[in-house]
Amino acid sequence: MKTPAASPTALPGAPTGLTLSAVRKHYNVGPVTTEILKGVDLEVRQGDSLAIMGGSGSGKSTLMNIMGLMDRPSSGSCLLGDRDLLGMDDDERSDLRNRRMGFVFQAFHLLGHLSAWGNVALPLVYRGVSVPESRRLAVEMLERVEMGDRVDHRPSQLSGGQQQRVGIARALVGRPAIVFADEPTAALDRDTGHEIMDQLLRLNSEEGITLVIVTHDRGVARQCSRLVRLVDGVIEESDRERAGRLGGTSG
């Protein structure tokens, strides 16, 4: 697989291990306090492929949002390498999220008025990369996810699987250290879902990109090297062996 050219603001070689200690999250609605995470300890090592499973309300999406700097915990600590993520202000967190992290969503979250390459180029444009260079890198990344013949198509002209490939290209164009995928196959048919997982896992194995997937699908989870189960806001099991020990194909 061809390695993309470095963007002017890429940060290769920075530590990518993510460590959470005693992370708690609660929300107050009037006099009622709802505790979502109840003291989570989790280490994600560079190059891991980690599946986070749990039922509705278990806290798995909240956990991913905290790890991806889209939410803050109520207490606890979060480190990326040796960097304290909780001590950063909002601008620092946004900058780190843009430069070191990529996101793939169940609902794709593509902008309908932009072409495929325009959607992929957005993270680079936010960094201040020139439009011609952003387009070049976006087209290169689209070619890597087998979308080179759709670079000028808008989302409405693409199938669900094609839109998700654009989403993967957007997540990867900035050369992130870690990619978070929230139910990346849930909106797709089984065959297309398998293709999307193959894309993500190939990038993990061939390029060492750390991959964190939130999923309810056992078939997805068992392809990852690690599995974390969340039950009522706590980790019930952290399995460093193949998640393939799981039985069945859906959860």
Side-chain angles (χ1 to χ4, degrees), residues 1 21 44 56 71 79 103 109 124 130 166 169 178 181 218 231:
M1 184 173 284
S21 300
V44 184
S56 297
D71 197 359
L79 300 175
F103 299 87
H109 292 322
L124 301 178
S130 69
V166 174
I178 182 168
R218 293 171 183 250
V231 179

Side-chain angles (χ1 to χ4, degrees), residues 31-75:
V32 178
T33 297
T34 301
E35 199 167 20
I36 306 299
L37 299 178
K38 303 173 183 177
V40 170
D41 298 312
L42 180 62
E43 181 182 7
V44 184
R45 298 180 183 177
Q46 182 173 345
D48 270 349
S49 59
L50 171 68
I52 300 176
M53 293 192 72
S56 297
S58 63
K60 60 184 187 296
S61 292
T62 299
L63 178 59
M64 192 195 77
N65 287 340
I66 289 172
M67 295 166 72
L69 303 183
M70 293 186 287
D71 197 359
R72 293 180 182 267
S74 303
S75 62

Side-chain angles (χ1 to χ4, degrees), residues 170-240:
R170 178 183 57 192
L172 296 173
V173 73
R175 301 181 67 221
I178 182 168
V179 169
F180 297 96
D182 189 3
E183 300 282 8
T185 65
L188 309 174
D189 63 76
R190 184 175 296 273
D191 288 344
T192 304
H194 287 163
E195 293 175 4
I196 293 302
M197 278 302 299
D198 286 346
Q199 290 274 352
L200 291 171
L201 292 170
R202 186 163 66 248
L203 290 159
N204 167 254
S205 63
E206 294 182 359
E207 301 190 19
I209 293 173
T210 304
L211 180 62
V212 177
I213 299 179
V214 167
T215 184
H216 70 281
D217 190 324
R218 293 171 183 250
V220 168
R222 68 183 182 183
Q223 296 178 69
C224 297
S225 61
R226 291 183 60 199
L227 167 66
V228 166
R229 301 175 189 267
L230 274 175
V231 179
D232 294 330
V234 297
I235 292 180
E236 183 180 73
E237 176 183 348
S238 181
D239 186 0
R240 210 169 239 295

Side-chain angles (χ1 to χ4, degrees), residues 108-166:
F108 315 137
H109 292 322
L110 302 180
L111 298 182
H113 66 284
L114 293 180
S115 63
W117 79 260
N119 273 281
V120 173
L122 278 177
L124 301 178
V125 173
Y126 290 149
R127 291 186 192 183
V129 179
S130 69
V131 172
E133 179 67 358
S134 294
R135 188 185 193 282
R136 184 185 71 79
L137 292 171
V139 170
E140 181 179 285
M141 190 60 65
L142 285 165
E143 290 173 347
R144 294 179 65 219
V145 297
E146 301 173 7
M147 288 292 291
D149 59 345
R150 296 287 189 275
V151 297
D152 292 315
H153 287 60
R154 294 189 179 185
S156 62
Q157 299 172 304
L158 302 174
S159 68
Q162 290 171 333
Q163 290 184 62
Q164 193 60 293
R165 289 176 188 271
V166 174

